[in-house]
mmCIF file of all heavy atoms in Angstrom:
data_model
loop_
_atom_site.group_PDB
_atom_site.id
_atom_site.type_symbol
_atom_site.label_atom_id
_atom_site.label_comp_id
_atom_site.label_asym_id
_atom_site.label_seq_id
_atom_site.Cartn_x
_atom_site.Cartn_y
_atom_site.Cartn_z
ATOM 1 N N ILE A 1 54.333 103.351 243.663
ATOM 2 C CA ILE A 1 55.001 102.085 244.271
ATOM 3 C C ILE A 1 54.930 101.041 243.111
ATOM 4 O O ILE A 1 53.898 100.546 242.691
ATOM 5 C CB ILE A 1 54.078 101.699 245.486
ATOM 6 C CG1 ILE A 1 54.170 102.722 246.595
ATOM 7 C CG2 ILE A 1 54.483 100.346 246.048
ATOM 8 C CD1 ILE A 1 53.396 102.480 247.805
ATOM 9 N N LEU A 2 56.190 100.736 242.745
ATOM 10 C CA LEU A 2 56.297 99.937 241.575
ATOM 11 C C LEU A 2 57.140 98.575 241.817
ATOM 12 O O LEU A 2 58.357 98.671 242.158
ATOM 13 C CB LEU A 2 57.057 100.708 240.442
ATOM 14 C CG LEU A 2 56.407 102.038 240.142
ATOM 15 C CD1 LEU A 2 57.318 102.814 239.169
ATOM 16 C CD2 LEU A 2 54.990 101.947 239.527
ATOM 17 N N ASP A 3 56.458 97.477 241.684
ATOM 18 C CA ASP A 3 57.164 96.200 241.973
ATOM 19 C C ASP A 3 57.559 95.584 240.625
ATOM 20 O O ASP A 3 56.682 95.258 239.857
ATOM 21 C CB ASP A 3 56.161 95.263 242.702
ATOM 22 C CG ASP A 3 56.817 93.960 243.205
ATOM 23 O OD1 ASP A 3 58.056 93.874 243.164
ATOM 24 O OD2 ASP A 3 56.149 93.068 243.600
ATOM 25 N N GLU A 4 58.903 95.530 240.363
ATOM 26 C CA GLU A 4 59.418 95.030 239.137
ATOM 27 C C GLU A 4 58.674 95.649 237.879
ATOM 28 O O GLU A 4 58.252 94.919 237.010
ATOM 29 C CB GLU A 4 59.261 93.542 239.031
ATOM 30 C CG GLU A 4 59.893 92.795 240.148
ATOM 31 C CD GLU A 4 61.459 92.768 240.085
ATOM 32 O OE1 GLU A 4 61.973 93.139 238.997
ATOM 33 O OE2 GLU A 4 62.068 92.516 241.121
ATOM 34 N N PRO A 5 58.740 96.889 237.676
ATOM 35 C CA PRO A 5 58.080 97.572 236.562
ATOM 36 C C PRO A 5 58.673 97.313 235.194
ATOM 37 O O PRO A 5 58.037 97.524 234.210
ATOM 38 C CB PRO A 5 58.087 99.065 236.913
ATOM 39 C CG PRO A 5 59.250 99.289 237.752
ATOM 40 C CD PRO A 5 59.393 98.005 238.503
ATOM 41 N N MET A 6 59.942 96.859 235.230
ATOM 42 C CA MET A 6 60.595 96.642 233.891
ATOM 43 C C MET A 6 60.343 95.116 233.422
ATOM 44 O O MET A 6 60.828 94.774 232.384
ATOM 45 C CB MET A 6 62.098 96.762 234.139
ATOM 46 C CG MET A 6 62.509 97.956 234.828
ATOM 47 S SD MET A 6 62.108 99.514 233.980
ATOM 48 C CE MET A 6 62.920 100.714 235.008
ATOM 49 N N ASN A 7 59.589 94.303 234.173
ATOM 50 C CA ASN A 7 59.357 93.013 233.902
ATOM 51 C C ASN A 7 58.846 92.816 232.444
ATOM 52 O O ASN A 7 57.821 93.445 232.151
ATOM 53 C CB ASN A 7 58.271 92.495 234.869
ATOM 54 C CG ASN A 7 58.608 91.158 235.339
ATOM 55 O OD1 ASN A 7 59.476 90.460 234.782
ATOM 56 N ND2 ASN A 7 57.850 90.615 236.357
ATOM 57 N N GLY A 8 59.470 91.989 231.637
ATOM 58 C CA GLY A 8 58.881 91.714 230.347
ATOM 59 C C GLY A 8 59.175 92.786 229.260
ATOM 60 O O GLY A 8 58.752 92.689 228.110
ATOM 61 N N LEU A 9 59.858 93.923 229.584
ATOM 62 C CA LEU A 9 60.186 94.922 228.672
ATOM 63 C C LEU A 9 61.521 94.585 227.912
ATOM 64 O O LEU A 9 62.382 94.037 228.575
ATOM 65 C CB LEU A 9 60.446 96.251 229.318
ATOM 66 C CG LEU A 9 59.160 96.947 229.980
ATOM 67 C CD1 LEU A 9 59.622 98.235 230.659
ATOM 68 C CD2 LEU A 9 58.154 97.194 228.963
ATOM 69 N N ASP A 10 61.526 94.858 226.708
ATOM 70 C CA ASP A 10 62.809 94.661 225.926
ATOM 71 C C ASP A 10 63.797 95.836 226.217
ATOM 72 O O ASP A 10 63.463 96.688 226.997
ATOM 73 C CB ASP A 10 62.541 94.655 224.373
ATOM 74 C CG ASP A 10 61.899 95.877 223.757
ATOM 75 O OD1 ASP A 10 61.867 96.927 224.448
ATOM 76 O OD2 ASP A 10 61.298 95.697 222.673
ATOM 77 N N LYS A 11 64.962 95.672 225.640
ATOM 78 C CA LYS A 11 65.970 96.715 225.968
ATOM 79 C C LYS A 11 65.557 98.166 225.724
ATOM 80 O O LYS A 11 65.779 99.056 226.604
ATOM 81 C CB LYS A 11 67.270 96.452 225.110
ATOM 82 C CG LYS A 11 68.577 96.867 225.805
ATOM 83 C CD LYS A 11 69.771 96.303 225.080
ATOM 84 C CE LYS A 11 70.045 97.188 223.860
ATOM 85 N NZ LYS A 11 71.179 96.697 223.100
ATOM 86 N N ASP A 12 64.951 98.419 224.640
ATOM 87 C CA ASP A 12 64.362 99.881 224.333
ATOM 88 C C ASP A 12 63.308 100.238 225.440
ATOM 89 O O ASP A 12 63.186 101.339 225.868
ATOM 90 C CB ASP A 12 63.851 99.911 222.936
ATOM 91 C CG ASP A 12 64.938 99.857 221.894
ATOM 92 O OD1 ASP A 12 66.158 100.147 222.320
ATOM 93 O OD2 ASP A 12 64.651 99.686 220.705
ATOM 94 N N GLY A 13 62.428 99.235 225.755
ATOM 95 C CA GLY A 13 61.386 99.519 226.666
ATOM 96 C C GLY A 13 61.960 99.838 228.030
ATOM 97 O O GLY A 13 61.455 100.767 228.685
ATOM 98 N N VAL A 14 62.973 99.057 228.540
ATOM 99 C CA VAL A 14 63.700 99.383 229.765
ATOM 100 C C VAL A 14 64.173 100.840 229.753
ATOM 101 O O VAL A 14 64.086 101.599 230.698
ATOM 102 C CB VAL A 14 64.807 98.404 230.056
ATOM 103 C CG1 VAL A 14 65.607 98.800 231.292
ATOM 104 C CG2 VAL A 14 64.061 97.027 230.353
ATOM 105 N N LYS A 15 64.898 101.122 228.587
ATOM 106 C CA LYS A 15 65.429 102.478 228.489
ATOM 107 C C LYS A 15 64.335 103.565 228.591
ATOM 108 O O LYS A 15 64.524 104.641 229.325
ATOM 109 C CB LYS A 15 66.208 102.570 227.170
ATOM 110 C CG LYS A 15 67.235 103.637 227.081
ATOM 111 C CD LYS A 15 68.127 103.538 225.847
ATOM 112 C CE LYS A 15 68.308 104.878 225.217
ATOM 113 N NZ LYS A 15 68.643 104.799 223.770
ATOM 114 N N ASP A 16 63.345 103.349 227.891
ATOM 115 C CA ASP A 16 62.180 104.313 227.895
ATOM 116 C C ASP A 16 61.602 104.469 229.297
ATOM 117 O O ASP A 16 61.331 105.551 229.820
ATOM 118 C CB ASP A 16 60.998 103.863 226.999
ATOM 119 C CG ASP A 16 61.343 103.931 225.541
ATOM 120 O OD1 ASP A 16 62.435 104.522 225.187
ATOM 121 O OD2 ASP A 16 60.579 103.373 224.742
ATOM 122 N N MET A 17 61.437 103.359 230.007
ATOM 123 C CA MET A 17 60.834 103.326 231.311
ATOM 124 C C MET A 17 61.701 104.024 232.311
ATOM 125 O O MET A 17 61.223 104.847 233.138
ATOM 126 C CB MET A 17 60.567 101.809 231.797
ATOM 127 C CG MET A 17 59.726 101.688 232.975
ATOM 128 S SD MET A 17 57.987 101.999 232.741
ATOM 129 C CE MET A 17 57.435 100.446 232.238
ATOM 130 N N ARG A 18 62.985 103.805 232.246
ATOM 131 C CA ARG A 18 63.955 104.405 233.164
ATOM 132 C C ARG A 18 63.850 105.956 233.018
ATOM 133 O O ARG A 18 63.798 106.726 233.989
ATOM 134 C CB ARG A 18 65.393 104.014 232.896
ATOM 135 C CG ARG A 18 65.709 102.716 233.522
ATOM 136 C CD ARG A 18 67.139 102.395 233.258
ATOM 137 N NE ARG A 18 67.468 100.997 233.566
ATOM 138 C CZ ARG A 18 68.483 100.385 232.981
ATOM 139 N NH1 ARG A 18 69.289 100.967 232.074
ATOM 140 N NH2 ARG A 18 68.773 99.138 233.332
ATOM 141 N N GLN A 19 63.891 106.394 231.726
ATOM 142 C CA GLN A 19 63.887 107.820 231.417
ATOM 143 C C GLN A 19 62.567 108.443 231.988
ATOM 144 O O GLN A 19 62.536 109.537 232.576
ATOM 145 C CB GLN A 19 64.014 108.109 229.960
ATOM 146 C CG GLN A 19 64.237 109.549 229.575
ATOM 147 C CD GLN A 19 65.215 110.257 230.447
ATOM 148 O OE1 GLN A 19 66.439 109.773 230.357
ATOM 149 N NE2 GLN A 19 64.930 111.321 231.160
ATOM 150 N N TYR A 20 61.462 107.609 231.765
ATOM 151 C CA TYR A 20 60.154 108.197 232.145
ATOM 152 C C TYR A 20 60.074 108.300 233.666
ATOM 153 O O TYR A 20 59.588 109.378 234.267
ATOM 154 C CB TYR A 20 59.099 107.190 231.710
ATOM 155 C CG TYR A 20 57.707 107.822 231.908
ATOM 156 C CD1 TYR A 20 57.398 108.992 231.262
ATOM 157 C CD2 TYR A 20 56.872 107.249 232.775
ATOM 158 C CE1 TYR A 20 56.134 109.517 231.433
ATOM 159 C CE2 TYR A 20 55.601 107.792 233.017
ATOM 160 C CZ TYR A 20 55.287 108.932 232.363
ATOM 161 O OH TYR A 20 54.056 109.497 232.613
ATOM 162 N N LEU A 21 60.672 107.362 234.415
ATOM 163 C CA LEU A 21 60.717 107.383 235.898
ATOM 164 C C LEU A 21 61.572 108.566 236.386
ATOM 165 O O LEU A 21 61.244 109.236 237.339
ATOM 166 C CB LEU A 21 61.113 106.171 236.527
ATOM 167 C CG LEU A 21 60.177 104.937 236.245
ATOM 168 C CD1 LEU A 21 60.759 103.605 236.821
ATOM 169 C CD2 LEU A 21 58.868 105.161 236.858
ATOM 170 N N LEU A 22 62.680 108.745 235.772
ATOM 171 C CA LEU A 22 63.539 109.989 236.060
ATOM 172 C C LEU A 22 62.820 111.320 235.809
ATOM 173 O O LEU A 22 63.013 112.236 236.534
ATOM 174 C CB LEU A 22 64.856 109.836 235.250
ATOM 175 C CG LEU A 22 65.855 108.775 235.714
ATOM 176 C CD1 LEU A 22 66.992 108.633 234.708
ATOM 177 C CD2 LEU A 22 66.358 108.977 237.203
ATOM 178 N N ASP A 23 62.048 111.340 234.755
ATOM 179 C CA ASP A 23 61.312 112.585 234.397
ATOM 180 C C ASP A 23 60.259 112.767 235.628
ATOM 181 O O ASP A 23 60.012 113.893 236.031
ATOM 182 C CB ASP A 23 60.454 112.354 233.113
ATOM 183 C CG ASP A 23 61.414 112.440 231.970
ATOM 184 O OD1 ASP A 23 62.600 112.826 232.123
ATOM 185 O OD2 ASP A 23 61.051 112.069 230.809
ATOM 186 N N LEU A 24 59.625 111.682 236.022
ATOM 187 C CA LEU A 24 58.639 111.767 237.209
ATOM 188 C C LEU A 24 59.288 112.225 238.482
ATOM 189 O O LEU A 24 58.774 113.094 239.218
ATOM 190 C CB LEU A 24 57.950 110.428 237.345
ATOM 191 C CG LEU A 24 56.896 109.964 236.254
ATOM 192 C CD1 LEU A 24 56.555 108.557 236.601
ATOM 193 C CD2 LEU A 24 55.716 110.955 236.147
ATOM 194 N N LYS A 25 60.503 111.716 238.625
ATOM 195 C CA LYS A 25 61.247 112.200 239.843
ATOM 196 C C LYS A 25 61.513 113.733 239.693
ATOM 197 O O LYS A 25 61.430 114.478 240.648
ATOM 198 C CB LYS A 25 62.569 111.401 239.992
ATOM 199 C CG LYS A 25 63.473 111.884 241.070
ATOM 200 C CD LYS A 25 64.768 111.204 241.010
ATOM 201 C CE LYS A 25 65.812 112.133 241.796
ATOM 202 N NZ LYS A 25 67.208 111.540 241.651
ATOM 203 N N ALA A 26 61.897 114.188 238.472
ATOM 204 C CA ALA A 26 62.161 115.581 238.297
ATOM 205 C C ALA A 26 60.993 116.468 238.537
ATOM 206 O O ALA A 26 61.055 117.595 238.835
ATOM 207 C CB ALA A 26 62.755 115.796 236.878
ATOM 208 N N GLN A 27 59.789 115.826 238.412
ATOM 209 C CA GLN A 27 58.551 116.609 238.673
ATOM 210 C C GLN A 27 58.251 116.651 240.225
ATOM 211 O O GLN A 27 57.220 117.111 240.607
ATOM 212 C CB GLN A 27 57.354 115.975 237.957
ATOM 213 C CG GLN A 27 57.371 116.034 236.440
ATOM 214 C CD GLN A 27 56.396 115.213 235.820
ATOM 215 O OE1 GLN A 27 55.309 114.833 236.349
ATOM 216 N NE2 GLN A 27 56.623 114.660 234.628
ATOM 217 N N GLY A 28 59.076 116.011 240.990
ATOM 218 C CA GLY A 28 58.860 115.943 242.432
ATOM 219 C C GLY A 28 58.090 114.721 242.960
ATOM 220 O O GLY A 28 57.720 114.706 244.161
ATOM 221 N N LYS A 29 57.867 113.719 242.094
ATOM 222 C CA LYS A 29 57.227 112.508 242.607
ATOM 223 C C LYS A 29 58.151 111.717 243.505
ATOM 224 O O LYS A 29 59.356 111.794 243.252
ATOM 225 C CB LYS A 29 56.811 111.700 241.461
ATOM 226 C CG LYS A 29 56.006 112.351 240.278
ATOM 227 C CD LYS A 29 54.628 112.665 240.696
ATOM 228 C CE LYS A 29 53.839 113.215 239.478
ATOM 229 N NZ LYS A 29 52.652 113.918 239.990
ATOM 230 N N THR A 30 57.512 110.971 244.429
ATOM 231 C CA THR A 30 58.297 110.048 245.219
ATOM 232 C C THR A 30 58.009 108.696 244.664
ATOM 233 O O THR A 30 56.810 108.255 244.417
ATOM 234 C CB THR A 30 57.746 110.065 246.719
ATOM 235 O OG1 THR A 30 57.826 111.491 247.133
ATOM 236 C CG2 THR A 30 58.629 109.247 247.610
ATOM 237 N N ILE A 31 59.062 107.882 244.452
ATOM 238 C CA ILE A 31 58.969 106.573 243.934
ATOM 239 C C ILE A 31 59.665 105.554 244.736
ATOM 240 O O ILE A 31 60.755 105.615 245.150
ATOM 241 C CB ILE A 31 59.597 106.499 242.427
ATOM 242 C CG1 ILE A 31 58.945 107.626 241.544
ATOM 243 C CG2 ILE A 31 59.517 105.142 241.814
ATOM 244 C CD1 ILE A 31 59.554 107.865 240.190
ATOM 245 N N LEU A 32 58.856 104.471 245.009
ATOM 246 C CA LEU A 32 59.429 103.246 245.715
ATOM 247 C C LEU A 32 59.428 102.109 244.650
ATOM 248 O O LEU A 32 58.305 101.768 244.165
ATOM 249 C CB LEU A 32 58.531 102.950 246.948
ATOM 250 C CG LEU A 32 59.024 101.624 247.703
ATOM 251 C CD1 LEU A 32 60.394 101.850 248.246
ATOM 252 C CD2 LEU A 32 58.024 101.439 248.825
ATOM 253 N N ILE A 33 60.577 101.652 244.317
ATOM 254 C CA ILE A 33 60.668 100.595 243.193
ATOM 255 C C ILE A 33 61.425 99.318 243.695
ATOM 256 O O ILE A 33 62.454 99.484 244.424
ATOM 257 C CB ILE A 33 61.367 101.245 242.031
ATOM 258 C CG1 ILE A 33 61.453 100.292 240.891
ATOM 259 C CG2 ILE A 33 62.695 101.782 242.347
ATOM 260 C CD1 ILE A 33 61.997 100.926 239.555
ATOM 261 N N ALA A 34 60.902 98.175 243.416
ATOM 262 C CA ALA A 34 61.585 96.952 243.727
ATOM 263 C C ALA A 34 62.091 96.401 242.267
ATOM 264 O O ALA A 34 61.317 96.420 241.359
ATOM 265 C CB ALA A 34 60.719 95.883 244.279
ATOM 266 N N SER A 35 63.432 96.022 242.224
ATOM 267 C CA SER A 35 63.812 95.507 240.899
ATOM 268 C C SER A 35 64.970 94.448 241.139
ATOM 269 O O SER A 35 65.678 94.570 242.190
ATOM 270 C CB SER A 35 64.407 96.638 240.098
ATOM 271 O OG SER A 35 65.046 96.210 238.937
ATOM 272 N N HIS A 36 64.996 93.473 240.317
ATOM 273 C CA HIS A 36 66.101 92.453 240.301
ATOM 274 C C HIS A 36 67.396 93.004 239.535
ATOM 275 O O HIS A 36 68.302 92.435 239.587
ATOM 276 C CB HIS A 36 65.598 91.215 239.661
ATOM 277 C CG HIS A 36 64.772 90.361 240.564
ATOM 278 N ND1 HIS A 36 63.442 90.316 240.438
ATOM 279 C CD2 HIS A 36 65.134 89.496 241.589
ATOM 280 C CE1 HIS A 36 62.952 89.493 241.344
ATOM 281 N NE2 HIS A 36 63.994 88.984 242.065
ATOM 282 N N SER A 37 67.120 94.114 238.804
ATOM 283 C CA SER A 37 68.256 94.634 238.019
ATOM 284 C C SER A 37 69.132 95.631 238.759
ATOM 285 O O SER A 37 68.672 96.682 239.149
ATOM 286 C CB SER A 37 67.650 95.341 236.717
ATOM 287 O OG SER A 37 68.641 96.167 236.185
ATOM 288 N N ALA A 38 70.334 95.265 238.969
ATOM 289 C CA ALA A 38 71.332 96.202 239.629
ATOM 290 C C ALA A 38 71.474 97.484 238.932
ATOM 291 O O ALA A 38 71.604 98.609 239.471
ATOM 292 C CB ALA A 38 72.688 95.541 239.798
ATOM 293 N N GLU A 39 71.288 97.432 237.463
ATOM 294 C CA GLU A 39 71.508 98.565 236.633
ATOM 295 C C GLU A 39 70.358 99.512 236.881
ATOM 296 O O GLU A 39 70.550 100.804 237.006
ATOM 297 C CB GLU A 39 71.589 98.174 235.176
ATOM 298 C CG GLU A 39 72.157 99.295 234.365
ATOM 299 C CD GLU A 39 72.365 98.963 232.907
ATOM 300 O OE1 GLU A 39 72.395 97.667 232.564
ATOM 301 O OE2 GLU A 39 72.339 99.862 232.110
ATOM 302 N N ASP A 40 69.078 98.935 236.962
ATOM 303 C CA ASP A 40 67.980 99.843 237.180
ATOM 304 C C ASP A 40 68.170 100.629 238.499
ATOM 305 O O ASP A 40 67.942 101.850 238.628
ATOM 306 C CB ASP A 40 66.692 99.013 237.297
ATOM 307 C CG ASP A 40 66.126 98.434 236.003
ATOM 308 O OD1 ASP A 40 66.556 99.027 235.001
ATOM 309 O OD2 ASP A 40 65.336 97.501 236.037
ATOM 310 N N ILE A 41 68.580 99.897 239.551
ATOM 311 C CA ILE A 41 68.733 100.484 240.854
ATOM 312 C C ILE A 41 69.849 101.589 240.751
ATOM 313 O O ILE A 41 69.633 102.668 241.350
ATOM 314 C CB ILE A 41 68.989 99.328 241.893
ATOM 315 C CG1 ILE A 41 67.832 98.418 242.043
ATOM 316 C CG2 ILE A 41 69.475 99.944 243.198
ATOM 317 C CD1 ILE A 41 66.657 98.944 242.661
ATOM 318 N N ASP A 42 70.909 101.213 240.161
ATOM 319 C CA ASP A 42 71.983 102.193 240.091
ATOM 320 C C ASP A 42 71.577 103.548 239.357
ATOM 321 O O ASP A 42 71.833 104.691 239.772
ATOM 322 C CB ASP A 42 73.174 101.627 239.372
ATOM 323 C CG ASP A 42 74.147 100.815 240.199
ATOM 324 O OD1 ASP A 42 73.940 100.838 241.445
ATOM 325 O OD2 ASP A 42 74.956 100.166 239.729
ATOM 326 N N VAL A 43 70.889 103.397 238.176
ATOM 327 C CA VAL A 43 70.530 104.509 237.409
ATOM 328 C C VAL A 43 69.409 105.362 238.086
ATOM 329 O O VAL A 43 69.447 106.562 238.000
ATOM 330 C CB VAL A 43 70.027 103.982 236.049
ATOM 331 C CG1 VAL A 43 69.403 105.203 235.202
ATOM 332 C CG2 VAL A 43 71.211 103.343 235.220
ATOM 333 N N LEU A 44 68.518 104.655 238.767
ATOM 334 C CA LEU A 44 67.276 105.397 239.215
ATOM 335 C C LEU A 44 67.334 105.854 240.625
ATOM 336 O O LEU A 44 66.749 106.907 240.939
ATOM 337 C CB LEU A 44 66.054 104.486 239.092
ATOM 338 C CG LEU A 44 65.591 104.091 237.640
ATOM 339 C CD1 LEU A 44 64.619 102.965 237.721
ATOM 340 C CD2 LEU A 44 65.128 105.282 236.937
ATOM 341 N N CYS A 45 68.043 105.105 241.527
ATOM 342 C CA CYS A 45 67.684 105.278 242.927
ATOM 343 C C CYS A 45 68.653 106.263 243.739
ATOM 344 O O CYS A 45 69.789 106.189 243.504
ATOM 345 C CB CYS A 45 67.667 103.925 243.679
ATOM 346 S SG CYS A 45 66.395 102.892 242.970
ATOM 347 N N ASP A 46 68.050 107.043 244.605
ATOM 348 C CA ASP A 46 68.765 107.863 245.557
ATOM 349 C C ASP A 46 69.236 107.146 246.824
ATOM 350 O O ASP A 46 70.123 107.467 247.370
ATOM 351 C CB ASP A 46 67.889 109.102 245.924
ATOM 352 C CG ASP A 46 67.521 109.989 244.735
ATOM 353 O OD1 ASP A 46 68.396 110.503 244.126
ATOM 354 O OD2 ASP A 46 66.284 109.915 244.347
#
C-alpha cells in the first residue's frame, strides 16, 4: 500500500521505481498506489 511513493524522486529514480513495482507485480504481488502523476498511473495500473 503505497501513498505517493515517487515523491521527491528525480527522473531516473521514478523510472527505477516504476520498473521495480512492475517486477513486484510480475511476482504476483498486489499493489494499491496513490499518485498525482497520470503517467505513473498509466504505466503501472490495471
Side-chain angles (χ1 to χ4, degrees):
I1 295 178
L2 308 174
D3 188 12
E4 301 289 346
M6 316 295 186
N7 221 349
L9 294 178
D10 59 20
K11 209 166 80 178
D12 288 343
V14 168
K15 202 169 135 201
D16 291 349
M17 188 77 86
R18 279 184 194 155
Q19 189 52 56
Y20 190 62
L21 294 176
L22 289 170
D23 291 346
L24 289 172
K25 177 191 159 184
Q27 292 168 30
K29 310 285 188 199
T30 308
I31 300 171
L32 178 61
I33 180 171
S35 178
H36 279 103
S37 160
E39 198 179 339
D40 287 343
I41 295 291
D42 276 351
V43 170
L44 294 169
C45 297
D46 300 294

